[in-house]
Amino acid sequence: MTLLQVQGATRRFGGLIAVDNVSMDVAAGEIVGVIGPNGAGKTTLFNLISGFTPLSGGEIRFDGARIDGEKTFAIARKGVGRTFQNLRIFPNMSLFDNVSVGAIGMLGAGPLSSLRRDTKVATEIAERTWTALERVDLAREAHTLAANLSYGKRKYLEIARALAMAPKLLILDEPAAGLNDSETHTLAAFIRDLHAGGMTVLLVEHNMALVMSICRRVVVLASGRKIADGAPDAVRADPLVLESYLGVEEEA
Amino acid sequence: DKPVVKLGYQLPLTGNTAQYGQDFRTAAEIALARFNSAGKPFKVEIVFEDSRSDAKEGVAIARKFVDDKAIVGVLGDFTSGVSMASAQVYKEAGMPQLSQTASHPDYAKISPWQFRNITTQAQEGPYNADWMKARGYKKVAIIAEQTDWGQTVVSNFADEFKKAGGQVVFSEFFNRGLADFRPLIAKIAREKPDAIYTGFFYEDAAQFLKQMKQLGVTIPVHSTSAAYNQQLIQLAGADAEGMHLTATFLPSNPDPKVQDFVTAWKAKSNGVDPGQFPAQAFDAVNIMLAAVERASPNPTREKVRDELAKTKAFPGVTGETTFGPDREPAKKLAKTVVRNGQFVAVEN
Amino acid sequence: MSAPILSISGLRVKMGAQEILHGLDLACGKGEIVAVLGANGAGKTTLMRTISGVYRAGAGAIRFEGEDIANARSHDIVRKGLLQAPEGRQIFSNMTVRENLVLGGGALRGAEMDRVLELFPQLRDRLSQIAGSLSGGEQQMLCIGRALMQRPRMLLLDEPSLGLAPKIVQLIFNLVTRIREQGVSILIVEQNARAALKVADHAAVMEGGRIGLSGRASELASDPRVVELYLGGHA
Amino acid sequence: MSDRFRARLIAIGFLALVFVAAPAALTAFGKSYYWQVADLALIFALLAGSMHLVTGVAGLLQLGHAAFYGVGAYAAALLATKAGLSLAFTLPLAGLSAATIAVLVALPTMRLVSIYFAVATLAIGQMLYLIMLNWVEVTKGPNGIMLFSGMKFAGLDLSRPLPTYLVVAATVCVSLFVLHRLSHSYYGNALRALREDDQCADAMGVDTVRLKIEAFGVSGFFAGVAGALWAHTAGFISPPDFSFQTSILILAMVVVGGLGSLPGAVLGAFILILLPEALRPFGDFRNIAVGVVLFASILFVPKGLIGEVSALDFARRQLAGAWRRDGAGAEIGWR
Amino acid sequence: MDFYLQQLAIGLSVGMTYALIAIGFTLIFGVLNVVNFAHGEVYTIGAFAGLLVVTTFAPPLLAVLLAVLAVGAFVGVGLERLAFRPFRRFSDEASLKSRAMRESTLMSSLALSIIAREALEIAFGSRFQSVPVAAMINQPIALGPVTITNGDLIILGVAALMLIGLQYVLRHTQVGLSIRAVSNNPLGAKYVGVDVDRTIVWTFAVGSMLGAVAGVLVGFYYGAIFANMGFTPGVKAFVAMVMGGLSSIPGAVVCALLLGVCESLSTAFVSSVWSDMVAYGFLIVTLIFFPRGIFGGARERV
Ligand SMILES: Nc1ncnc2c1ncn2[C@@H]1O[C@H](COP(=O)(O)OP(=O)(O)OP(=O)(O)O)[C@@H](O)[C@H]1O
Ligand SMILES: Nc1ncnc2c1ncn2[C@@H]1O[C@H](COP(=O)(O)OP(=O)(O)OP(=O)(O)O)[C@@H](O)[C@H]1O
Ligand SMILES: [Mg+2]
Ligand SMILES: [Mg+2]
């Protein structure tokens, strides 16, 4: 079943066409990688999907319904969780509080029910938050301020926050940036784990090793256009991709 | 030693209206010094408290005064707003309150404990209306500050002026401390009135007059005793020339009481003549002191109140004060004009 | 190792009550590339910021060309020719690309600008674009370019390959070698250990606020612990 | 000691302090002045608490808070004088009117962020102030409104100091409890997310616009309640009580106490009300002294006398304000 | 028609006085992204300094302005030391991003402004000071149906000079670039070798010089110098700055003029008491259509 369907998505910034008539599908339970040179429009594509940037043309469907034109939070509530390329954590909040926001947003909890303690909503939020924190192994530090975290842990914090939303589609924008090889391995295992649990993942990554090892399908963007879409090995051998993205001397 | 009777005085000693409060304190100190050196069988002390023209501070001060059993009467506050908020406390606790300036029409109605010795616009407005009518003005523009007092300036004047057959061609308020009166002046000038009747204090008066000159508008200006202050002439200079206004107090009045006060005042304030408000405060304090004296020995708040109510033809520097049954004063008003940098009395 | 251009000894840095660097020693020879590896949170960025005078050094010495620059003010450090392309890029997001570069360049702007744009042709087309709207990789190029504008004697790079496409990463590492050939010494913090060890002369591994291992880059690249921890298990 | 038990203990201790110890001490002093100051401090504690929700927790710098205080005061005064309603009705109705106005004016400004929002609130505050001052037909303009009736409830005369104090204290305590629950529960977390990064919160499914409006409305409600308390205790209100200076005073309370910290806001209110009174003996210099104290406290404790972290920790751990995970007893606070 | 022309002229001249204050205010906001609540007091101090100079030496206006510039610079540097620098000791990320820090400087400058105002009040009283007639700059000049004053021309000249000078400095000099860099990203500025402290001190000095000159000019224009004179124009300048988009000085000037015209026309068409209402309403409407001010940039991308 197709979970996400992007059709002819276009986005212009003034004269610049950042995303140019891109179409792609993501089936439920898939892990799809999006790669492409810097400035190819990958983040912009993700912003279009998650509703941060309005489309200049085309349409986006999620779970069968059109979501372009919807408000960002409404799209999130439909089940699109994301992380940001330039980390966006809540620095003056504890890790627990950071992650809880994901659950709070999804449950749409209002002020009245918060007047009583230990309501069902509250328990549910706590439950989801702890689960997400444990999942990324940050539960022990749940009470420290997010600002005191190192870069790598912030990445996991962001992921945990998205997981607390219990999304149907998880969008990761360069999750491995700033991680060393062994950390990347851990991350890869982590994502595979998520996938095994049934999560659909769409990710942008420049770390080819990660992309090649976890994605069944890779979409390549260049200058806003889709130039390739297929199995990792096929994409890797594509001369166009080699030239514009990977460079001649290829990474191991 | 002599027994001590205490009075409270709540007034703005800091903040935007501090200049008025400071003057009241100076005037009160003069009055008090006279009284205490006159060989009375008891001594009076005045407790000054700064209200900053802020109602919440005023109410707290009122409570403080009420708590002090030795205080038998209170003077102040400056603005009607603060005076009236405090009045609720005095009403409930039974404390005579005499304000030198509160001009809100409802102030004295709050309870039998509230008095004031400022001429209300109920008296001054019609007086000015008749005066201006007599000077032959048919079309008049009115402006006044947007305060409780300004409201009474406009309504009392306009009612009488219209009754006398005049026409009010323009009537508007402005917010106190308005920096630029020119849009308003231009608007008045467009109506081509014979004269302008104004309700403002001396600072706004000075700005208004200077800016009229700036725009080349030469319509005669009349005002109330609130603008009566030597500072007006200092600030506006030649632009103040020819402004007409009423007053109950003239420093040039040869009456020895007045001259005595003027000398004492000048000694305390760099030789500047006192204006209407200090004189008002000076009289208020004296009226209160006289009531205390009549209520002695062992004055109580009730006794002081009753004696205040009996004040009849009290000879003050602002003329004689009599409290009617409504605890409002009746005063004799004088006509003045600014001429050669002086306020001078005129007949017409 | 040749005479060190930068030598750090016994450096201690505290953030609030917590000590993050506990007496760290590190040296970088003139004209050398030294790579610093380390897990997340090891304190690499803290070290880099302290060298540039952004954080206060609690104790210890930082000598640059023989002069102690510990706790010197950051602009004096820059003036001595010690430049950094920091973590998080720290570009001026609502100024144009050109203004960002010019700010880096001071008096040298004209000549250096051409050189830098030659290295990063992609920036040339975007000179008057607001820097905040650049893509992540473009911002990284801008950040390095900005540091190069001042003709550094020594360059500190904090994860320069972060967020860059493989092709650009290669470019950056080629660049690092080229910059070194021009006599600039380089201290580079990298998570891409493989690439970093390839270009570096020396390397050090940071663990919990101290230098754990250090030595020639080629030796470290075959050290089993490094292989295990930073090279994903295979050399 | 279980957290429930400890929370009860603290709550009982606090209530005893406010409703037994304080009145007893005040009665012993026998000075109505102290009662007055206590009432005032409580009213401003509520004002600061309500501003804390928007400015401290939700991070929306609010420069027009006094206007909602004014709307509440005017609503109460008009209802009491025109319709003869008693305190039991005027309090909630004043809150509701202020909340309604707050929501109405919030609607067009919710797209604004940071300082733009602050200036919009400043403008709205000034506009409401001008309405109070100049809409003479309804508000009586500069003449203000006098509540001859004093404070009455169900035929009881509450205008003596003790009953007045008890009414004020009870209202303020209940309101502060609600504010405490709002800012220390998950709802507070949503607001905090808004403060830290609204775009990011949006991506988490938080309806930021609605949240802003809600926070604004709730904060307006309690400011309105405070206004009603002021109207009934003072017996006379006029526009200058609700000017920009009052907004700044409330903001100063929140900042001195610690942005984001409810106990801080309350403490800040106590300090900035009590200090100028305590400094009366210094005469003309007392306001300079207030400035100096303000300056020193910001300089030496820039995160506030009770910072957000410790306030949250206390509220969640000691007051059992945390919500918990089913089964596992883990508490959620800050350490 | 003449009436409206006259009102327009008055509005422009009122707007000019707001613009004069807004320029320095915006400059300071531009570097620190914090509101300097004490700017109104700098303005007041400038006016008092000018008055003292005039009453003791009676020098020509230009000399008064120079003296006031010196006072302004001094006050600005002092203000920065006391109210702003102490809060830069925190360089960790949480503090840099924390609003508490930003609001701390807002409050510290507010506290200093309270101290300054109360001190002025104790020293000079809160009454209006009388300005010697010779020093006043309000000689009427008739331009056809419209009357303006020599003060309008002087203020226009000074404001234009300030505006053009600052625009040149900010856009075309390294100093100006540094100022904008510090405003945009103080941490980044450190990495490119900008002396952040010095840049900030200089900006404060210059901004306060402009503020002080504004004070003395407006003081001599209206002949109203008093301890609380900075409050209302300070608020108006703040509003103009925000309407203009915060960091755009020309934007602030244009909006200050708009505000002035708006006030005088609303007095003409409605009434004086409601003129502020119209001005604030105008602000709200502007912000609804331009949520980041008329000349403000877009929000940073995600
Ligand atoms: N708000 C904007 N205004 C103007 N240009 C923009 C804006 N957002 C993005 N762009 C431009 O659109 C292009 C695509 O940017 P995008 O961030 O999507 O690239 P990307 O593929 O994510 O690159 P990277 O891998 O470096 O993150 C870039 O050239 C960028 O400069
Ligand atoms: N402002 C701060 N206050 C308290 N602790 C901090 C602060 N900044 C950093 N730390 C802590 O210092 C340690 C080192 O952080 P640093 O950013 O230097 O690590 P790093 O080696 O650069 O990691 P990464 O590879 O993730 O960038 C981390 O444990 C971090 O939590
Ligand atoms: Mg991207
Ligand atoms: Mg780092």
Side-chain angles (χ1 to χ4, degrees):
Chain A
M1 193 201 79
T2 353
L3 184 63
L4 177 76
Q5 206 177 0
V6 178
Q7 271 168 14
T10 302
R11 171 69 211 187
R12 288 185 203 89
F13 292 108
L16 180 90
I17 308 183
V19 174
D20 189 359
N21 198 15
V22 170
S23 303
M24 64 182 282
D25 290 348
V26 178
E30 231 186 340
I31 303 187
V32 176
V34 178
I35 61 172
N38 295 114
K42 306 178 295 294
T43 300
T44 308
L45 179 65
F46 281 12
N47 283 346
L48 292 174
I49 296 170
S50 56
F52 269 93
T53 315
L55 281 166
S56 311
E59 63 174 66
I60 299 175
R61 287 171 178 279
F62 183 73
D63 227 359
R66 270 186 79 151
I67 54 166
D68 47 300
E70 293 253 19
K71 296 231 170 58
T72 309
F73 78 88
I75 294 176
R77 283 193 194 164
K78 290 203 162 76
V80 179
R82 72 170 288 182
T83 64
F84 295 86
Q85 177 171 4
N86 38 5
L87 293 177
R88 303 282 287 256
I89 55 163
F90 306 128
N92 295 297
M93 292 167 70
S94 71
L95 303 197
F96 181 90
D97 289 352
N98 261 276
V99 173
S100 73
V101 174
I104 295 167
M106 292 307 282
L107 295 173
L112 285 181
S113 58
S114 80
L115 293 182
R116 291 189 304 125
R117 309 174 64 231
D118 297 347
T119 51
K120 249 179 84 186
V121 174
T123 319
E124 165 96 32
I125 291 171
E127 194 67 43
R128 283 199 190 187
T129 307
W130 281 120
T131 314
L133 277 170
E134 273 156 12
R135 190 100 208 227
V136 298
D137 203 19
L138 284 174
R140 260 172 298 118
E141 297 162 74
H143 300 305
T144 51
L145 274 190
N148 294 344
L149 281 195
S150 68
Y151 183 84
K153 287 185 175 169
R154 289 180 188 201
K155 298 230 112 159
Y156 279 102
L157 177 62
E158 262 210 333
I159 296 178
R161 196 175 55 185
L163 288 181
M165 295 167 67
K168 292 186 187 137
L169 172 69
L170 182 62
I171 300 186
L172 303 173
D173 200 348
E174 305 202 15
L179 304 186
N180 63 34
D181 281 4
S182 58
E183 288 161 338
T184 308
H185 273 286
T186 320
L187 180 74
F190 179 77
I191 296 175
R192 255 188 243 113
D193 231 34
L194 283 179
H195 178 236
M199 181 75 76
T200 314
V201 181
L202 180 61
L203 90 164
V204 163
E205 194 39 75
H206 289 303
N207 187 327
M208 281 305 106
L210 179 75
V211 175
M212 297 303 156
S213 72
I214 62 174
C215 298
R216 299 282 165 70
R217 190 152 71 84
V218 175
V219 173
V220 188
L221 295 186
S223 312
R225 254 176 250 128
K226 186 163 100 173
I227 57 169
D229 184 345
D233 286 329
V235 166
R236 184 150 53 172
D238 188 326
L240 212 56
V241 179
L242 265 177
E243 193 242 301
S244 70
Y245 182 60
L246 295 175
V248 237
E249 179 203 14
E250 201 197 307
E251 287 285 305
Chain B
D1 248 353
K2 287 194 253 183
V4 174
V5 176
K6 275 160 92 181
L7 295 175
Y9 205 145
Q10 58 173 97
L11 71 186
L13 294 172
T14 63
N16 294 344
T17 50
Q19 66 269 40
Y20 298 100
Q22 302 280 3
D23 282 357
F24 296 158
R25 180 162 62 182
T26 309
E29 279 164 354
I30 296 173
L32 188 64
R34 307 254 134 146
F35 185 86
N36 281 336
S37 58
K40 310 274 159 145
F42 61 97
K43 204 169 152 271
V44 176
E45 248 176 46
I46 299 185
V47 184
F48 294 96
E49 287 288 359
D50 172 26
S51 70
R52 238 181 134 63
S53 283
D54 179 337
K56 62 180 185 303
E57 300 219 5
V59 176
I61 294 172
R63 295 273 179 204
K64 208 169 182 180
F65 284 161
V66 166
D67 288 340
D68 188 340
K69 296 294 172 238
I71 291 184
V72 296
V74 168
L75 293 142
D77 202 293
F78 170 55
T79 63
S80 301
V82 182
S83 304
M84 288 174 72
S86 316
Q88 310 300 326
V89 177
Y90 297 133
K91 160 187 160 190
E92 168 207 314
M95 168 79 92
Q97 177 190 15
L98 168 56
S99 169
Q100 69 291 311
T101 42
S103 48
H104 192 293
D106 295 338
Y107 165 74
K109 294 191 192 120
I110 291 177
S111 79
W113 299 91
Q114 273 68 44
F115 297 84
R116 65 175 143 207
N117 73 325
I118 188 173
T119 44
T120 62
Q121 291 304 310
Q123 184 190 358
E124 200 168 355
Y127 185 85
N128 270 310
D130 295 340
W131 182 19
M132 289 177 74
K133 199 83 212 342
R135 284 173 61 89
Y137 302 135
K138 296 197 179 58
K139 294 196 317 186
V140 169
I142 315 176
I143 59 158
E145 59 176 46
Q146 179 65 301
T147 59
D148 54 310
W149 174 78
Q151 296 269 333
T152 62
V153 167
V154 171
S155 58
N156 286 300
F157 175 87
D159 290 350
E160 174 74 13
F161 196 73
K162 284 183 205 150
K163 217 185 289 163
Q167 197 189 345
V168 174
V169 292
F170 179 92
S171 167
E172 221 176 281
F173 295 95
F174 61 88
N175 292 320
R176 259 198 96 160
L178 182 68
D180 207 308
F181 284 94
R182 287 176 300 171
L184 207 48
I185 295 170
K187 209 172 160 187
I188 293 173
R190 186 170 59 157
E191 302 295 337
K192 301 202 169 42
D194 301 330
I196 310 174
Y197 182 62
T198 57
F200 43 33
F201 288 14
Y202 74 88
E203 285 141 332
D204 285 333
Q207 292 309 101
F208 185 81
L209 294 171
K210 277 188 291 193
Q211 290 170 13
M212 266 182 76
K213 180 58 133 310
Q214 225 184 74
L215 288 179
V217 174
T218 53
I219 305 168
V221 176
H222 275 246
S223 196
T224 67
S225 52
Y228 186 92
N229 192 316
Q230 201 60 34
Q231 294 280 331
L232 169 67
I233 296 170
Q234 280 202 0
L235 288 172
D239 301 343
E241 286 295 301
M243 178 161 104
H244 289 72
L245 66 172
T246 40
T248 54
F249 167 74
L250 280 183
S252 55
N253 188 336
D255 182 338
K257 277 196 308 298
V258 175
Q259 285 315 311
D260 193 34
F261 170 60
V262 171
T263 325
W265 176 270
K266 280 182 160 173
K268 281 196 157 199
S269 44
N270 304 325
V272 179
D273 277 341
Q276 178 77 32
F277 282 179
Q280 209 74 48
F282 182 72
D283 278 357
V285 175
N286 281 325
I287 291 170
M288 183 64 91
L289 289 172
V292 170
E293 193 174 6
R294 290 200 299 275
S296 298
N298 305 322
T300 61
R301 292 171 182 175
E302 289 78 27
K303 279 206 271 179
V304 170
R305 194 220 79 89
D306 294 343
E307 291 305 329
L308 265 182
K310 285 183 204 150
T311 301
K312 195 153 262 136
F314 178 88
V317 295
T318 62
E320 293 189 341
T321 303
T322 300
F323 286 126
D326 53 358
R327 299 171 303 285
E328 302 273 14
K331 285 277 181 75
K332 194 170 165 303
L333 287 159
K335 298 169 180 164
T336 62
V337 67
V338 179
R339 198 169 286 154
N340 303 324
Q342 294 280 302
F343 288 102
V344 287
V346 286
E347 283 310 307
N348 198 330
Chain C
M1 188 185 276
S2 58
I5 183 168
L6 180 77
S7 70
I8 298 168
S9 53
L11 182 64
R12 288 176 180 276
V13 174
K14 274 173 110 170
M15 297 298 304
Q18 187 190 356
E19 194 176 73
I20 290 167
L21 300 185
H22 325 276
L24 175 142
D25 302 295
L26 185 71
C28 175
K30 207 166 253 161
E32 275 188 345
I33 299 180
V34 174
V36 176
L37 312 178
N40 281 298
K44 306 177 296 294
T45 300
T46 307
L47 167 68
M48 298 295 253
R49 290 191 174 180
T50 312
I51 298 174
S52 277
V54 172
Y55 285 171
R56 282 193 60 79
I62 305 173
R63 300 191 160 276
F64 179 64
E65 301 198 308
E67 238 178 303
D68 191 2
I69 55 162
N71 291 329
R73 297 191 304 165
S74 51
H75 59 97
D76 287 329
I77 295 174
V78 166
R79 210 157 297 151
K80 290 190 203 315
L82 183 57
L83 269 289
Q84 179 170 175
E87 183 183 83
R89 296 169 193 154
Q90 308 296 349
I91 55 161
F92 303 111
S93 57
N94 54 30
M95 295 167 80
T96 63
V97 171
R98 176 182 281 112
E99 284 169 336
N100 268 273
L101 290 175
V102 168
L103 254 170
L108 306 165
R109 47 180 122 169
E112 290 306 297
M113 179 95 80
D114 285 339
R115 238 173 48 123
V116 168
L117 291 179
E118 226 159 87
L119 288 171
F120 303 109
Q122 210 162 344
L123 292 181
R124 195 184 288 278
D125 310 332
R126 308 195 185 282
L127 274 180
S128 24
Q129 188 172 334
I130 297 297
S133 69
L134 291 178
S135 81
E138 290 162 344
Q139 291 187 8
Q140 185 65 45
M141 297 179 206
L142 178 60
C143 171
I144 298 174
R146 186 179 71 179
L148 289 177
M149 285 289 289
Q150 307 229 18
R151 290 231 182 123
R153 307 165 64 74
M154 175 162 195
L155 190 59
L156 309 178
L157 299 172
D158 197 347
E159 308 205 12
S161 73
L162 188 74
L164 296 188
K167 194 173 146 184
I168 310 289
V169 174
Q170 286 167 23
L171 188 146
I172 299 264
F173 280 103
N174 290 341
L175 197 79
V176 168
T177 351
R178 268 171 56 198
I179 297 170
R180 193 262 297 268
E181 276 157 17
Q182 294 170 5
V184 181
S185 321
I186 293 170
L187 183 64
I188 180 171
V189 165
E190 243 321 315
Q191 296 292 6
N192 191 338
R194 198 178 304 273
L197 289 176
K198 215 176 275 173
V199 296
D201 302 302
H202 284 88
V205 176
M206 257 180 98
E207 277 157 7
R210 288 195 187 80
I211 298 295
L213 284 173
S214 69
R216 299 202 60 83
S218 47
E219 287 161 17
L220 244 63
S222 51
D223 184 297
R225 278 186 56 206
V226 174
V227 171
E228 166 70 25
L229 284 173
Y230 302 102
L231 299 177
H234 31 125
Chain D
M1 197 163 36
S2 89
D3 62 332
R4 284 288 181 120
F5 181 66
R6 188 173 50 223
R8 292 247 161 87
L9 219 60
I10 290 175
I12 289 170
F14 178 75
L15 293 178
L17 187 74
V18 172
F19 290 100
V20 183
L26 289 170
T27 314
F29 277 124
K31 303 251 188 210
S32 62
Y33 166 66
Y34 292 122
W35 289 105
Q36 176 65 33
V37 173
D39 291 347
L40 200 60
L42 284 169
I43 292 174
F44 272 81
L46 179 51
L47 281 172
S50 60
M51 186 191 262
H52 145 87
L53 194 71
V54 272
T55 300
V57 183
L60 305 165
L61 184 56
Q62 157 69 296
L63 296 178
H65 204 56
F68 301 120
Y69 171 47
V71 169
Y74 268 92
L78 289 172
L79 288 169
T81 52
K82 294 247 162 83
L85 292 184
S86 80
L87 193 69
F89 296 99
T90 56
L91 270 186
L93 287 177
L96 284 179
S97 344
T100 312
I101 302 272
V103 168
L104 284 181
V105 298
L107 286 174
T109 54
M110 280 306 149
R111 253 181 355 126
L112 304 177
V113 291
S114 69
I115 202 88
Y116 296 97
F117 179 82
V119 164
T121 58
L122 180 145
I124 285 164
Q126 292 296 86
M127 287 164 86
L128 288 173
Y129 171 74
L130 287 168
I131 290 175
M132 290 177 222
L133 185 64
N134 294 321
W135 194 16
V136 179
E137 294 76 24
V138 171
T139 64
K140 299 206 192 159
N143 286 335
I145 297 180
M146 201 154 29
L147 293 82
F148 284 107
S149 51
M151 223 198 250
K152 282 207 187 65
F153 177 59
L156 290 170
D157 178 16
L158 299 181
S159 54
R160 307 292 311 160
L162 177 65
T164 306
Y165 171 84
L166 290 178
V167 167
V168 172
T171 314
V172 170
C173 283
V174 170
S175 309
L176 285 179
F177 176 74
V178 173
L179 287 166
H180 149 70
R181 285 299 310 162
L182 287 177
S183 49
H184 296 143
S185 63
Y186 56 84
Y187 190 69
N189 271 6
L191 292 176
R192 258 173 231 112
L194 189 69
R195 168 188 76 190
E196 297 288 304
D197 189 334
D198 57 337
Q199 291 177 321
C200 179
D202 223 357
M204 304 290 108
V206 176
D207 186 347
T208 51
V209 170
R210 196 181 115 190
L211 207 58
K212 279 184 189 179
I213 293 174
E214 274 171 12
F216 217 64
V218 172
S219 152
F221 178 86
F222 288 113
V225 170
L229 288 177
W230 166 246
H232 283 284
T233 50
F236 175 78
I237 55 166
S238 60
D241 304 350
F242 315 111
S243 64
F244 181 58
Q245 273 85 356
T246 309
S247 295
I248 293 296
L249 176 66
I250 305 171
L251 179 63
M253 292 168 175
V254 176
V255 173
V256 167
L259 273 172
S261 147
L262 182 60
V266 172
L267 180 67
F270 284 172
I271 290 178
L272 286 181
I273 289 295
L274 301 184
L275 191 68
E277 289 298 332
L279 290 176
R280 280 199 177 277
F282 292 87
D284 295 356
F285 286 90
R286 76 190 169 110
N287 294 301
I288 290 205
V290 172
V292 170
V293 169
L294 192 61
F295 183 67
S297 84
I298 296 158
L299 187 63
F300 297 117
V301 251
K303 291 190 173 167
L305 297 175
I306 308 177
E308 177 171 29
V309 172
S310 42
L312 262 176
D313 191 29
F314 179 82
R316 290 195 181 155
R317 278 140 51 77
Q318 307 300 319
L319 299 181
W323 67 95
R324 332 189 241 175
R325 184 174 199 186
D326 238 6
E331 289 172 34
I332 300 138
W334 285 19
R335 233 155 263 150
Chain E
M1 195 60 226
D2 289 356
F3 170 68
Y4 295 107
L5 277 180
Q6 179 67 61
Q7 291 289 20
L8 196 67
I10 294 170
L12 284 173
S13 103
V14 173
M16 248 12 257
T17 65
Y18 296 159
L20 209 52
I21 308 157
I23 292 175
F25 201 44
T26 312
L27 181 69
I28 291 177
F29 184 92
V31 264
L32 280 178
N33 276 310
V34 290
V35 178
N36 172 18
F37 256 111
H39 195 68
E41 272 58 45
V42 173
Y43 167 89
T44 312
I45 290 173
F48 272 95
L51 184 66
L52 284 183
V53 171
V54 162
T55 45
T56 35
F57 305 108
L61 184 62
L62 204 60
V64 178
L65 291 187
L66 288 178
V68 169
L69 278 176
V71 172
F74 182 77
V75 173
V77 172
L79 182 66
E80 198 275 334
R81 285 263 141 160
L82 287 172
F84 292 88
R85 177 159 307 188
F87 299 98
R88 289 208 300 279
R89 64 179 187 259
F90 307 95
S91 55
D92 60 304
E93 192 182 347
S95 299
L96 284 176
K97 290 217 169 132
S98 135
R99 285 206 172 75
M101 281 300 151
R102 212 172 319 145
E103 261 118 62
S104 292
T105 53
L106 191 125
M107 278 297 135
S108 63
S109 64
L110 176 72
L112 281 190
S113 88
I114 292 176
I115 295 172
R117 187 168 55 233
E118 297 293 334
L120 279 172
E121 215 177 276
I122 289 175
F124 297 96
S126 45
R127 61 167 47 97
F128 281 23
Q129 306 292 314
S130 45
V131 179
V133 177
M136 296 270 294
I137 45 173
N138 65 346
Q139 300 314 310
I141 300 174
L143 290 180
V146 171
T147 309
I148 62 165
T149 67
N150 61 343
D152 288 326
L153 299 180
I154 294 175
I155 290 179
L156 177 71
V158 172
L161 203 70
M162 284 181 184
L163 179 64
I164 295 168
L166 276 182
Q167 276 311 96
Y168 180 79
V169 169
L170 287 179
R171 296 280 146 197
H172 300 285
T173 67
Q174 193 75 21
V175 177
L177 267 184
S178 314
I179 291 179
R180 289 169 54 213
V182 171
S183 118
N184 188 188
N185 182 350
L187 188 56
K190 286 193 170 179
Y191 287 114
V192 296
V194 171
D195 186 340
V196 173
D197 280 335
R198 207 176 60 180
T199 308
I200 291 178
V201 168
W202 270 105
T203 319
F204 261 91
V206 173
S208 300
M209 281 156 85
L210 301 184
V213 164
V216 72
L217 284 178
V218 178
F220 286 179
Y221 181 68
Y222 283 124
I225 294 180
F226 54 103
N228 201 32
M229 68 185 279
F231 178 74
T232 311
V235 171
K236 295 287 163 60
F238 183 31
V239 167
M241 172 181 86
V242 171
M243 260 169 94
L246 288 183
S247 43
S248 153
I249 293 179
V253 168
V254 169
C255 291
L257 292 179
L258 276 176
L259 269 186
V261 169
C262 192
E263 281 176 21
S264 82
L265 289 186
S266 53
T267 301
F269 286 109
V270 191
S271 102
S272 171
V273 287
W274 292 112
S275 75
D276 271 0
M277 186 87 175
V278 176
Y280 287 121
F282 187 53
L283 167 78
I284 297 285
V285 172
T286 312
L287 286 181
I288 290 174
F289 290 104
F290 303 93
R292 303 185 62 81
I294 300 180
F295 303 90
R299 243 192 123 166
E300 245 167 72
R301 66 170 290 204
V302 182

